[in-house]
Amino acid sequence: MSCDFIALATAGVRGLTPYQPGKPVDELERELGISNIIKLASNENPMGPSEAALQAIRDGVKELTRYPDGNGFVLKQALSSSLAVDLEQITLGNGSNDVLDLIARAYLAPGDEAIFSQYAFAVYPISTQAVGATAVVTPAKEYGHDLDAMAEAITSKTRVIFIANPNNPTGTWLTKEQVDGFLVKVPESVLVVLDEAYFEYVGEAEYPDGIGYLEKYPNLIVTRTFSKAYGLASLRVGYSVSSPDIANILNRVRQPFNVNSLALAAAAAAVTDEEYLQESRSHNREGMAQLVEGLSGLDLSFVPSVGNFILVNFDKDALPIFESLLKKGVIVRPVGNYGLPNALRVSVGTKSENARFLDSLAEVL
Ligand SMILES: *Cc1c(COP(=O)(O)O)cnc(C)c1O
């Protein structure tokens, strides 16, 4: 009789359901034997990376035999000057998911509570559960975070609160006034993680820049990524900005070389490529308008989004629609795992990708 290796795992890990990624293009190609597939399932930047990032990667290839700089000095310096923060406040991660995980490992243990919202980003429950902490899920308000409910859920056991602004998969966002009104209520011993993965896309005047709150609220951690507006999802690089003490702690649990050298070089080049970022933004704005117009034309309801994706509501099980779209070579994202079985999340693609999605959807419905 062999050992039960499932039972040997820690209780938290045994209870985990793995993160469900968007379906890869290659996989659908193999399954259907078709080409010409479009993927609007993972909120990737349809423009591809900036030329400056690509050149940094080509240059970096020559040094692949070396370990990367474990401190990521060049990237931290680029971030430090562009964000006007100290190097000591920055923690680099293998994607910002890595940083979220570091926060959970460093600050959550069995018996501790982490608060996040219904419909919030799927990594919060996974990171919380993996370390055996207790997830406290507050009901959403119009698909977004109900900050009053989140503040009321704080107990003496609360250690971390995760907030995505804007939120994925709903695209909802919180204003300066809402965030400020919340932070002032949170005891300083409770860490607030403001996940700003789509920060660079948001143009709303009332949208807050989390980094601006760090001085007033030292218990705040702001996370951002190069996976979305910077178009470098494959390289896995993200970061947090926090008080130096929190960064010091995160650094103790961080793998020594968690960000590879090509990612470090590409991200450092991307930070200063303001032109690319502006182009990404306007490309996204046009694509979002195209999707909104097309969806409205089909009489579909959707949640207004400030990200590079939109949650579409079908008022019936959306899985058959997802599958019919797949057969037409269009990959979008089912969100049943978020408790939204009647919705699909669609990333903004290129103009022709958006048009193809809308045409395919019209045929399917
Ligand atoms: C995409 C996303 C992330 C980060 O992804 P990484 O690729 O790991 O940087 C983090 N939070 C939210 C809400 C996201 O949608």
Side-chain angles (χ1 to χ4, degrees):
M1 204 20 212
S2 68
C3 209
D4 183 348
F5 293 109
I6 301 286
L8 280 181
T10 61
V13 173
R14 278 201 310 277
L16 271 183
T17 316
Y19 180 82
Q20 293 172 12
K23 195 174 183 70
V25 170
D26 292 0
E27 190 179 301
L28 188 62
E29 266 173 6
R30 282 195 300 274
E31 286 174 11
L32 295 185
I34 56 172
S35 55
N36 194 23
I37 289 167
I38 61 166
K39 182 183 174 206
L40 302 175
S42 300
N43 304 345
E44 297 143 341
N45 187 332
M47 293 186 0
S50 87
E51 187 45 47
L54 292 173
Q55 188 54 47
I57 291 167
R58 284 191 285 267
D59 294 343
V61 164
K62 295 163 202 147
E63 293 296 324
L64 284 184
T65 194
R66 309 278 169 213
Y67 276 100
D69 172 6
N71 288 318
F73 179 74
V74 173
L75 175 55
K76 281 190 185 172
Q77 207 174 36
L79 286 169
S80 160
S81 58
S82 104
L83 304 170
V85 299
D86 292 336
L87 291 180
E88 296 69 33
Q89 295 182 264
I90 302 169
T91 304
L92 300 180
N94 192 252
S96 58
N97 283 352
D98 186 26
V99 182
L100 297 173
D101 227 37
L102 297 180
I103 295 166
R105 276 172 59 204
Y107 285 99
L108 290 171
D112 295 340
E113 293 175 355
I115 301 173
F116 47 86
S117 175
Q118 180 187 23
Y119 309 144
F121 185 45
V123 165
Y124 312 151
I126 293 175
S127 292
T128 302
Q129 168 91 39
V131 295
T134 302
V136 176
V137 185
T138 55
K141 193 167 153 187
E142 290 162 44
Y143 291 101
H145 292 65
D146 180 347
L147 292 182
D148 291 333
M150 295 182 87
E152 277 163 30
I154 296 171
T155 71
S156 60
K157 293 179 182 163
T158 308
R159 296 286 173 274
V160 180
I161 303 175
F162 292 102
I163 295 172
N165 194 30
N167 184 45
N168 170 17
T170 59
T172 52
W173 63 288
L174 298 159
T175 63
K176 289 176 186 168
E177 196 182 334
Q178 287 173 314
V179 171
D180 213 12
F182 175 74
L183 290 173
V184 76
K185 286 191 237 170
V186 179
E188 201 180 293
S189 59
V190 175
L191 299 184
V192 177
V193 180
L194 206 51
D195 178 344
E196 297 183 337
Y198 302 91
F199 175 83
E200 297 82 4
Y201 277 122
V202 188
E204 266 63 14
E206 285 310 305
Y207 176 70
D209 175 344
I211 290 171
Y213 292 106
L214 283 167
E215 223 163 288
K216 194 165 167 198
Y217 304 106
N219 54 328
L220 182 64
I221 307 175
V222 177
T223 62
R224 292 191 189 162
T225 182
F226 287 92
S227 299
K228 307 287 162 55
Y230 287 103
L232 296 170
S234 168
L235 286 181
R236 314 304 304 126
V237 51
Y239 61 94
S240 68
V241 186
S242 67
S243 78
D245 282 350
I246 292 174
N248 172 337
I249 284 294
L250 299 181
N251 200 44
R252 297 181 195 192
V253 285
R254 184 179 66 81
Q255 298 257 339
F257 304 106
N258 63 334
V259 186
N260 72 74
S261 56
L262 299 184
L264 288 171
V271 169
T272 50
D273 194 347
E274 191 51 43
E275 198 181 317
Y276 169 83
L277 207 56
Q278 277 179 16
E279 219 178 305
S280 291
R281 255 185 231 121
S282 60
H283 188 274
N284 187 60
R285 207 174 307 123
E286 287 161 23
M288 182 64 86
Q290 185 187 0
L291 287 181
V292 162
E293 191 187 320
L295 293 167
S296 305
L298 292 171
D299 264 334
L300 290 168
S301 69
F302 52 83
V303 182
S305 168
V306 296
N308 66 340
F309 58 89
I310 188 161
L311 189 75
V312 188
N313 249 318
F314 295 93
D315 296 320
K316 61 178 179 189
D317 184 11
L319 215 52
I321 299 167
F322 164 72
E323 276 156 7
S324 304
L325 286 171
L326 276 189
K327 291 196 188 107
K328 293 182 174 291
V330 177
I331 311 176
V332 297
R333 189 69 159 268
V335 281
N337 60 320
Y338 282 94
L340 295 162
N342 294 349
L344 295 173
R345 193 194 67 196
V346 184
S347 307
V348 175
T350 61
K351 193 172 178 182
S352 66
E353 288 172 338
N354 299 331
R356 169 132 167 242
F357 159 71
L358 290 167
D359 290 346
S360 304
L361 185 62
E363 287 167 26
V364 160
L365 289 175

PDB file of all heavy atoms in Angstrom, residues 19 42-43 94-98 100 121 124 164 166-168 195-198 223-228 233 236-238 309 345, ligand 1:
ATOM      1  N   TYR A  19      -5.751  27.771 -10.005  1.00  0.00           N
ATOM      2  CA  TYR A  19      -6.167  28.902 -10.841  1.00  0.00           C
ATOM      3  C   TYR A  19      -6.458  28.396 -12.253  1.00  0.00           C
ATOM      4  O   TYR A  19      -5.720  27.572 -12.790  1.00  0.00           O
ATOM      5  CB  TYR A  19      -5.030  29.931 -10.889  1.00  0.00           C
ATOM      6  CG  TYR A  19      -5.332  31.145 -11.731  1.00  0.00           C
ATOM      7  CD1 TYR A  19      -6.077  32.197 -11.211  1.00  0.00           C
ATOM      8  CD2 TYR A  19      -4.850  31.247 -13.032  1.00  0.00           C
ATOM      9  CE1 TYR A  19      -6.346  33.315 -11.977  1.00  0.00           C
ATOM     10  CE2 TYR A  19      -5.128  32.370 -13.804  1.00  0.00           C
ATOM     11  CZ  TYR A  19      -5.870  33.403 -13.268  1.00  0.00           C
ATOM     12  OH  TYR A  19      -6.137  34.508 -14.035  1.00  0.00           O
ATOM     13  N   SER A  42      -7.306  36.693 -21.670  1.00  0.00           N
ATOM     14  CA  SER A  42      -6.395  36.886 -20.539  1.00  0.00           C
ATOM     15  C   SER A  42      -5.948  38.330 -20.353  1.00  0.00           C
ATOM     16  O   SER A  42      -4.931  38.580 -19.702  1.00  0.00           O
ATOM     17  CB  SER A  42      -5.177  35.971 -20.682  1.00  0.00           C
ATOM     18  OG  SER A  42      -5.595  34.613 -20.707  1.00  0.00           O
ATOM     19  N   ASN A  43      -6.699  39.260 -20.937  1.00  0.00           N
ATOM     20  CA  ASN A  43      -6.430  40.690 -20.746  1.00  0.00           C
ATOM     21  C   ASN A  43      -5.008  41.083 -21.144  1.00  0.00           C
ATOM     22  O   ASN A  43      -4.385  41.952 -20.511  1.00  0.00           O
ATOM     23  CB  ASN A  43      -6.728  41.110 -19.300  1.00  0.00           C
ATOM     24  CG  ASN A  43      -8.146  40.782 -18.902  1.00  0.00           C
ATOM     25  OD1 ASN A  43      -8.984  40.502 -19.754  1.00  0.00           O
ATOM     26  ND2 ASN A  43      -8.440  40.812 -17.619  1.00  0.00           N
ATOM     27  N   ASN A  94       7.734  37.763  -9.703  1.00  0.00           N
ATOM     28  CA  ASN A  94       7.568  36.995 -10.931  1.00  0.00           C
ATOM     29  C   ASN A  94       6.095  37.142 -11.347  1.00  0.00           C
ATOM     30  O   ASN A  94       5.273  36.260 -11.128  1.00  0.00           O
ATOM     31  CB  ASN A  94       7.936  35.533 -10.636  1.00  0.00           C
ATOM     32  CG  ASN A  94       8.077  34.718 -11.886  1.00  0.00           C
ATOM     33  OD1 ASN A  94       7.252  33.877 -12.212  1.00  0.00           O
ATOM     34  ND2 ASN A  94       9.131  34.969 -12.612  1.00  0.00           N
ATOM     35  N   GLY A  95       5.801  38.312 -11.877  1.00  0.00           N
ATOM     36  CA  GLY A  95       4.407  38.731 -12.037  1.00  0.00           C
ATOM     37  C   GLY A  95       3.959  39.321 -10.711  1.00  0.00           C
ATOM     38  O   GLY A  95       4.568  39.035  -9.655  1.00  0.00           O
ATOM     39  N   SER A  96       2.894  40.155 -10.725  1.00  0.00           N
ATOM     40  CA  SER A  96       2.453  40.685  -9.432  1.00  0.00           C
ATOM     41  C   SER A  96       1.772  39.594  -8.614  1.00  0.00           C
ATOM     42  O   SER A  96       1.681  39.698  -7.394  1.00  0.00           O
ATOM     43  CB  SER A  96       1.557  41.916  -9.600  1.00  0.00           C
ATOM     44  OG  SER A  96       0.434  41.635 -10.387  1.00  0.00           O
ATOM     45  N   ASN A  97       1.334  38.513  -9.263  1.00  0.00           N
ATOM     46  CA  ASN A  97       0.817  37.369  -8.500  1.00  0.00           C
ATOM     47  C   ASN A  97       1.832  36.874  -7.482  1.00  0.00           C
ATOM     48  O   ASN A  97       1.478  36.467  -6.381  1.00  0.00           O
ATOM     49  CB  ASN A  97       0.500  36.188  -9.427  1.00  0.00           C
ATOM     50  CG  ASN A  97      -0.794  36.387 -10.180  1.00  0.00           C
ATOM     51  OD1 ASN A  97      -1.534  37.323  -9.909  1.00  0.00           O
ATOM     52  ND2 ASN A  97      -1.044  35.512 -11.121  1.00  0.00           N
ATOM     53  N   ASP A  98       3.081  36.873  -7.885  1.00  0.00           N
ATOM     54  CA  ASP A  98       4.158  36.443  -6.997  1.00  0.00           C
ATOM     55  C   ASP A  98       4.193  37.332  -5.749  1.00  0.00           C
ATOM     56  O   ASP A  98       4.290  36.841  -4.622  1.00  0.00           O
ATOM     57  CB  ASP A  98       5.483  36.524  -7.773  1.00  0.00           C
ATOM     58  CG  ASP A  98       6.693  35.975  -7.018  1.00  0.00           C
ATOM     59  OD1 ASP A  98       6.504  35.107  -6.139  1.00  0.00           O
ATOM     60  OD2 ASP A  98       7.821  36.407  -7.313  1.00  0.00           O
ATOM     61  N   LEU A 100       1.699  39.067  -4.514  1.00  0.00           N
ATOM     62  CA  LEU A 100       0.502  38.777  -3.696  1.00  0.00           C
ATOM     63  C   LEU A 100       0.755  37.540  -2.823  1.00  0.00           C
ATOM     64  O   LEU A 100       0.389  37.492  -1.648  1.00  0.00           O
ATOM     65  CB  LEU A 100      -0.719  38.540  -4.595  1.00  0.00           C
ATOM     66  CG  LEU A 100      -1.158  39.738  -5.458  1.00  0.00           C
ATOM     67  CD1 LEU A 100      -2.258  39.316  -6.434  1.00  0.00           C
ATOM     68  CD2 LEU A 100      -1.639  40.899  -4.591  1.00  0.00           C
ATOM     69  N   PHE A 121     -10.491  39.260  -7.710  1.00  0.00           N
ATOM     70  CA  PHE A 121      -9.484  38.497  -8.457  1.00  0.00           C
ATOM     71  C   PHE A 121      -9.192  37.142  -7.789  1.00  0.00           C
ATOM     72  O   PHE A 121      -9.011  37.050  -6.575  1.00  0.00           O
ATOM     73  CB  PHE A 121      -8.217  39.340  -8.527  1.00  0.00           C
ATOM     74  CG  PHE A 121      -7.130  38.757  -9.370  1.00  0.00           C
ATOM     75  CD1 PHE A 121      -7.391  38.221 -10.631  1.00  0.00           C
ATOM     76  CD2 PHE A 121      -5.813  38.769  -8.908  1.00  0.00           C
ATOM     77  CE1 PHE A 121      -6.371  37.701 -11.404  1.00  0.00           C
ATOM     78  CE2 PHE A 121      -4.790  38.251  -9.685  1.00  0.00           C
ATOM     79  CZ  PHE A 121      -5.067  37.719 -10.937  1.00  0.00           C
ATOM     80  N   TYR A 124      -6.518  35.982  -4.845  1.00  0.00           N
ATOM     81  CA  TYR A 124      -6.623  36.264  -3.396  1.00  0.00           C
ATOM     82  C   TYR A 124      -7.054  35.027  -2.611  1.00  0.00           C
ATOM     83  O   TYR A 124      -6.422  34.685  -1.609  1.00  0.00           O
ATOM     84  CB  TYR A 124      -7.554  37.447  -3.104  1.00  0.00           C
ATOM     85  CG  TYR A 124      -7.319  38.678  -3.954  1.00  0.00           C
ATOM     86  CD1 TYR A 124      -8.344  39.555  -4.265  1.00  0.00           C
ATOM     87  CD2 TYR A 124      -6.051  38.967  -4.463  1.00  0.00           C
ATOM     88  CE1 TYR A 124      -8.129  40.678  -5.052  1.00  0.00           C
ATOM     89  CE2 TYR A 124      -5.831  40.083  -5.260  1.00  0.00           C
ATOM     90  CZ  TYR A 124      -6.878  40.928  -5.557  1.00  0.00           C
ATOM     91  OH  TYR A 124      -6.673  42.028  -6.332  1.00  0.00           O
ATOM     92  N   ALA A 164      -8.861  44.995  -5.465  1.00  0.00           N
ATOM     93  CA  ALA A 164      -8.401  45.218  -6.839  1.00  0.00           C
ATOM     94  C   ALA A 164      -9.083  46.462  -7.383  1.00  0.00           C
ATOM     95  O   ALA A 164     -10.299  46.563  -7.363  1.00  0.00           O
ATOM     96  CB  ALA A 164      -8.738  44.017  -7.713  1.00  0.00           C
ATOM     97  N   PRO A 166      -8.768  48.866 -10.841  1.00  0.00           N
ATOM     98  CA  PRO A 166     -10.081  48.252 -11.018  1.00  0.00           C
ATOM     99  C   PRO A 166     -10.041  46.749 -10.741  1.00  0.00           C
ATOM    100  O   PRO A 166      -8.974  46.161 -10.709  1.00  0.00           O
ATOM    101  CB  PRO A 166     -10.402  48.521 -12.492  1.00  0.00           C
ATOM    102  CG  PRO A 166      -9.079  48.691 -13.153  1.00  0.00           C
ATOM    103  CD  PRO A 166      -8.182  49.308 -12.121  1.00  0.00           C
ATOM    104  N   ASN A 167     -11.248  46.201 -10.563  1.00  0.00           N
ATOM    105  CA  ASN A 167     -11.324  44.774 -10.269  1.00  0.00           C
ATOM    106  C   ASN A 167     -11.369  43.940 -11.551  1.00  0.00           C
ATOM    107  O   ASN A 167     -11.935  44.342 -12.556  1.00  0.00           O
ATOM    108  CB  ASN A 167     -12.582  44.489  -9.440  1.00  0.00           C
ATOM    109  CG  ASN A 167     -12.653  43.034  -9.020  1.00  0.00           C
ATOM    110  OD1 ASN A 167     -11.655  42.466  -8.577  1.00  0.00           O
ATOM    111  ND2 ASN A 167     -13.810  42.409  -9.180  1.00  0.00           N
ATOM    112  N   ASN A 168     -10.759  42.778 -11.493  1.00  0.00           N
ATOM    113  CA  ASN A 168     -10.865  41.757 -12.526  1.00  0.00           C
ATOM    114  C   ASN A 168     -11.633  40.607 -11.884  1.00  0.00           C
ATOM    115  O   ASN A 168     -11.254  40.190 -10.800  1.00  0.00           O
ATOM    116  CB  ASN A 168      -9.449  41.327 -12.925  1.00  0.00           C
ATOM    117  CG  ASN A 168      -9.435  40.098 -13.810  1.00  0.00           C
ATOM    118  OD1 ASN A 168     -10.442  39.724 -14.391  1.00  0.00           O
ATOM    119  ND2 ASN A 168      -8.275  39.473 -13.897  1.00  0.00           N
ATOM    120  N   ASP A 195      -4.442  46.372  -5.373  1.00  0.00           N
ATOM    121  CA  ASP A 195      -3.942  45.713  -6.588  1.00  0.00           C
ATOM    122  C   ASP A 195      -4.321  46.569  -7.793  1.00  0.00           C
ATOM    123  O   ASP A 195      -5.481  46.646  -8.174  1.00  0.00           O
ATOM    124  CB  ASP A 195      -4.580  44.317  -6.650  1.00  0.00           C
ATOM    125  CG  ASP A 195      -4.195  43.519  -7.881  1.00  0.00           C
ATOM    126  OD1 ASP A 195      -3.684  44.103  -8.860  1.00  0.00           O
ATOM    127  OD2 ASP A 195      -4.433  42.292  -7.869  1.00  0.00           O
ATOM    128  N   GLU A 196      -3.316  47.214  -8.365  1.00  0.00           N
ATOM    129  CA  GLU A 196      -3.560  48.136  -9.484  1.00  0.00           C
ATOM    130  C   GLU A 196      -2.992  47.577 -10.790  1.00  0.00           C
ATOM    131  O   GLU A 196      -2.250  48.254 -11.501  1.00  0.00           O
ATOM    132  CB  GLU A 196      -2.956  49.509  -9.165  1.00  0.00           C
ATOM    133  CG  GLU A 196      -3.620  50.166  -7.955  1.00  0.00           C
ATOM    134  CD  GLU A 196      -3.090  51.571  -7.656  1.00  0.00           C
ATOM    135  OE1 GLU A 196      -1.945  51.889  -8.068  1.00  0.00           O
ATOM    136  OE2 GLU A 196      -3.808  52.339  -7.007  1.00  0.00           O
ATOM    137  N   ALA A 197      -3.383  46.335 -11.101  1.00  0.00           N
ATOM    138  CA  ALA A 197      -2.841  45.669 -12.298  1.00  0.00           C
ATOM    139  C   ALA A 197      -3.194  46.411 -13.592  1.00  0.00           C
ATOM    140  O   ALA A 197      -2.480  46.302 -14.583  1.00  0.00           O
ATOM    141  CB  ALA A 197      -3.349  44.231 -12.363  1.00  0.00           C
ATOM    142  N   TYR A 198      -4.300  47.176 -13.565  1.00  0.00           N
ATOM    143  CA  TYR A 198      -4.739  47.883 -14.784  1.00  0.00           C
ATOM    144  C   TYR A 198      -4.576  49.392 -14.647  1.00  0.00           C
ATOM    145  O   TYR A 198      -5.175  50.153 -15.411  1.00  0.00           O
ATOM    146  CB  TYR A 198      -6.207  47.517 -15.085  1.00  0.00           C
ATOM    147  CG  TYR A 198      -6.383  46.035 -15.259  1.00  0.00           C
ATOM    148  CD1 TYR A 198      -6.709  45.223 -14.169  1.00  0.00           C
ATOM    149  CD2 TYR A 198      -6.147  45.428 -16.483  1.00  0.00           C
ATOM    150  CE1 TYR A 198      -6.815  43.854 -14.310  1.00  0.00           C
ATOM    151  CE2 TYR A 198      -6.247  44.057 -16.636  1.00  0.00           C
ATOM    152  CZ  TYR A 198      -6.587  43.275 -15.547  1.00  0.00           C
ATOM    153  OH  TYR A 198      -6.682  41.913 -15.688  1.00  0.00           O
ATOM    154  N   THR A 223       0.250  47.102  -5.582  1.00  0.00           N
ATOM    155  CA  THR A 223       0.889  46.186  -6.535  1.00  0.00           C
ATOM    156  C   THR A 223       0.530  46.589  -7.964  1.00  0.00           C
ATOM    157  O   THR A 223      -0.586  47.021  -8.236  1.00  0.00           O
ATOM    158  CB  THR A 223       0.463  44.717  -6.310  1.00  0.00           C
ATOM    159  OG1 THR A 223      -0.950  44.593  -6.516  1.00  0.00           O
ATOM    160  CG2 THR A 223       0.799  44.244  -4.920  1.00  0.00           C
ATOM    161  N   ARG A 224       1.503  46.450  -8.848  1.00  0.00           N
ATOM    162  CA  ARG A 224       1.297  46.732 -10.282  1.00  0.00           C
ATOM    163  C   ARG A 224       2.046  45.691 -11.104  1.00  0.00           C
ATOM    164  O   ARG A 224       2.804  44.893 -10.560  1.00  0.00           O
ATOM    165  CB  ARG A 224       1.779  48.152 -10.627  1.00  0.00           C
ATOM    166  CG  ARG A 224       0.904  49.197  -9.973  1.00  0.00           C
ATOM    167  CD  ARG A 224       1.180  50.584 -10.506  1.00  0.00           C
ATOM    168  NE  ARG A 224       0.453  51.572  -9.693  1.00  0.00           N
ATOM    169  CZ  ARG A 224       0.743  52.860  -9.667  1.00  0.00           C
ATOM    170  NH1 ARG A 224       1.738  53.335 -10.414  1.00  0.00           N
ATOM    171  NH2 ARG A 224       0.038  53.684  -8.924  1.00  0.00           N
ATOM    172  N   THR A 225       1.830  45.731 -12.416  1.00  0.00           N
ATOM    173  CA  THR A 225       2.382  44.662 -13.248  1.00  0.00           C
ATOM    174  C   THR A 225       2.815  45.159 -14.624  1.00  0.00           C
ATOM    175  O   THR A 225       2.329  46.198 -15.085  1.00  0.00           O
ATOM    176  CB  THR A 225       1.339  43.539 -13.417  1.00  0.00           C
ATOM    177  OG1 THR A 225       1.908  42.478 -14.184  1.00  0.00           O
ATOM    178  CG2 THR A 225       0.080  44.032 -14.123  1.00  0.00           C
ATOM    179  N   PHE A 226       3.698  44.412 -15.247  1.00  0.00           N
ATOM    180  CA  PHE A 226       4.061  44.664 -16.647  1.00  0.00           C
ATOM    181  C   PHE A 226       3.281  43.755 -17.595  1.00  0.00           C
ATOM    182  O   PHE A 226       3.533  43.748 -18.793  1.00  0.00           O
ATOM    183  CB  PHE A 226       5.578  44.473 -16.837  1.00  0.00           C
ATOM    184  CG  PHE A 226       6.354  45.592 -16.218  1.00  0.00           C
ATOM    185  CD1 PHE A 226       6.805  45.504 -14.909  1.00  0.00           C
ATOM    186  CD2 PHE A 226       6.607  46.757 -16.923  1.00  0.00           C
ATOM    187  CE1 PHE A 226       7.488  46.552 -14.318  1.00  0.00           C
ATOM    188  CE2 PHE A 226       7.277  47.814 -16.348  1.00  0.00           C
ATOM    189  CZ  PHE A 226       7.723  47.711 -15.037  1.00  0.00           C
ATOM    190  N   SER A 227       2.341  42.969 -17.038  1.00  0.00           N
ATOM    191  CA  SER A 227       1.623  41.991 -17.863  1.00  0.00           C
ATOM    192  C   SER A 227       0.496  42.597 -18.690  1.00  0.00           C
ATOM    193  O   SER A 227       0.074  42.007 -19.672  1.00  0.00           O
ATOM    194  CB  SER A 227       0.998  40.912 -16.970  1.00  0.00           C
ATOM    195  OG  SER A 227       1.975  40.228 -16.246  1.00  0.00           O
ATOM    196  N   LYS A 228      -0.030  43.723 -18.284  1.00  0.00           N
ATOM    197  CA  LYS A 228      -1.228  44.233 -18.932  1.00  0.00           C
ATOM    198  C   LYS A 228      -0.877  45.384 -19.884  1.00  0.00           C
ATOM    199  O   LYS A 228      -0.552  45.125 -21.021  1.00  0.00           O
ATOM    200  CB  LYS A 228      -2.254  44.625 -17.857  1.00  0.00           C
ATOM    201  CG  LYS A 228      -2.540  43.483 -16.850  1.00  0.00           C
ATOM    202  CD  LYS A 228      -3.374  42.370 -17.429  1.00  0.00           C
ATOM    203  CE  LYS A 228      -3.346  41.039 -16.690  1.00  0.00           C
ATOM    204  NZ  LYS A 228      -3.680  41.039 -15.282  1.00  0.00           N
ATOM    205  N   ALA A 233       3.207  40.021 -20.572  1.00  0.00           N
ATOM    206  CA  ALA A 233       2.637  38.980 -19.702  1.00  0.00           C
ATOM    207  C   ALA A 233       3.497  37.722 -19.646  1.00  0.00           C
ATOM    208  O   ALA A 233       3.643  37.094 -18.591  1.00  0.00           O
ATOM    209  CB  ALA A 233       1.221  38.625 -20.159  1.00  0.00           C
ATOM    210  N   ARG A 236       6.581  37.546 -17.043  1.00  0.00           N
ATOM    211  CA  ARG A 236       6.292  37.475 -15.616  1.00  0.00           C
ATOM    212  C   ARG A 236       7.083  38.502 -14.814  1.00  0.00           C
ATOM    213  O   ARG A 236       8.137  38.184 -14.249  1.00  0.00           O
ATOM    214  CB  ARG A 236       6.558  36.052 -15.049  1.00  0.00           C
ATOM    215  CG  ARG A 236       6.024  34.895 -15.846  1.00  0.00           C
ATOM    216  CD  ARG A 236       4.528  34.986 -16.100  1.00  0.00           C
ATOM    217  NE  ARG A 236       3.784  35.105 -14.863  1.00  0.00           N
ATOM    218  CZ  ARG A 236       2.899  36.088 -14.610  1.00  0.00           C
ATOM    219  NH1 ARG A 236       2.657  37.033 -15.503  1.00  0.00           N
ATOM    220  NH2 ARG A 236       2.257  36.115 -13.471  1.00  0.00           N
ATOM    221  N   VAL A 237       6.611  39.700 -14.787  1.00  0.00           N
ATOM    222  CA  VAL A 237       7.244  40.688 -13.916  1.00  0.00           C
ATOM    223  C   VAL A 237       6.211  41.700 -13.413  1.00  0.00           C
ATOM    224  O   VAL A 237       5.406  42.227 -14.175  1.00  0.00           O
ATOM    225  CB  VAL A 237       8.489  41.354 -14.577  1.00  0.00           C
ATOM    226  CG1 VAL A 237       8.203  41.880 -15.958  1.00  0.00           C
ATOM    227  CG2 VAL A 237       9.096  42.443 -13.700  1.00  0.00           C
ATOM    228  N   GLY A 238       6.218  41.878 -12.111  1.00  0.00           N
ATOM    229  CA  GLY A 238       5.341  42.833 -11.454  1.00  0.00           C
ATOM    230  C   GLY A 238       6.070  43.346 -10.221  1.00  0.00           C
ATOM    231  O   GLY A 238       7.207  42.959  -9.953  1.00  0.00           O
ATOM    232  N   PHE A 309     -10.840  44.973 -20.562  1.00  0.00           N
ATOM    233  CA  PHE A 309     -11.716  43.799 -20.669  1.00  0.00           C
ATOM    234  C   PHE A 309     -13.111  44.226 -20.240  1.00  0.00           C
ATOM    235  O   PHE A 309     -13.275  45.280 -19.609  1.00  0.00           O
ATOM    236  CB  PHE A 309     -11.204  42.671 -19.754  1.00  0.00           C
ATOM    237  CG  PHE A 309     -11.116  43.109 -18.316  1.00  0.00           C
ATOM    238  CD1 PHE A 309     -12.200  42.975 -17.464  1.00  0.00           C
ATOM    239  CD2 PHE A 309      -9.958  43.710 -17.830  1.00  0.00           C
ATOM    240  CE1 PHE A 309     -12.134  43.420 -16.146  1.00  0.00           C
ATOM    241  CE2 PHE A 309      -9.891  44.168 -16.507  1.00  0.00           C
ATOM    242  CZ  PHE A 309     -10.985  44.007 -15.672  1.00  0.00           C
ATOM    243  N   ARG A 345     -16.095  37.014 -19.751  1.00  0.00           N
ATOM    244  CA  ARG A 345     -15.198  38.175 -19.746  1.00  0.00           C
ATOM    245  C   ARG A 345     -14.459  38.214 -21.084  1.00  0.00           C
ATOM    246  O   ARG A 345     -13.896  37.207 -21.518  1.00  0.00           O
ATOM    247  CB  ARG A 345     -14.183  38.069 -18.605  1.00  0.00           C
ATOM    248  CG  ARG A 345     -13.446  39.375 -18.344  1.00  0.00           C
ATOM    249  CD  ARG A 345     -12.234  39.168 -17.457  1.00  0.00           C
ATOM    250  NE  ARG A 345     -11.236  38.386 -18.152  1.00  0.00           N
ATOM    251  CZ  ARG A 345     -10.198  37.782 -17.561  1.00  0.00           C
ATOM    252  NH1 ARG A 345     -10.025  37.871 -16.272  1.00  0.00           N
ATOM    253  NH2 ARG A 345      -9.342  37.091 -18.271  1.00  0.00           N
TER     254      ARG A 345
HETATM  255  C1  LIG B   1      -3.678  40.200 -14.353  1.00  0.00           C
HETATM  256  C2  LIG B   1      -3.858  40.571 -12.932  1.00  0.00           C
HETATM  257  C3  LIG B   1      -2.797  40.553 -12.026  1.00  0.00           C
HETATM  258  C4  LIG B   1      -1.418  40.220 -12.317  1.00  0.00           C
HETATM  259  O1  LIG B   1      -0.916  39.389 -13.048  1.00  0.00           O
HETATM  260  P1  LIG B   1       0.648  39.135 -13.186  1.00  0.00           P
HETATM  261  O2  LIG B   1       0.748  38.723 -14.599  1.00  0.00           O
HETATM  262  O3  LIG B   1       0.990  38.081 -12.210  1.00  0.00           O
HETATM  263  O4  LIG B   1       1.365  40.415 -12.889  1.00  0.00           O
HETATM  264  C5  LIG B   1      -3.011  40.957 -10.725  1.00  0.00           C
HETATM  265  N1  LIG B   1      -4.203  41.356 -10.324  1.00  0.00           N
HETATM  266  C6  LIG B   1      -5.240  41.422 -11.159  1.00  0.00           C
HETATM  267  C7  LIG B   1      -6.526  41.922 -10.643  1.00  0.00           C
HETATM  268  C8  LIG B   1      -5.102  41.004 -12.478  1.00  0.00           C
HETATM  269  O5  LIG B   1      -6.144  41.018 -13.282  1.00  0.00           O
END
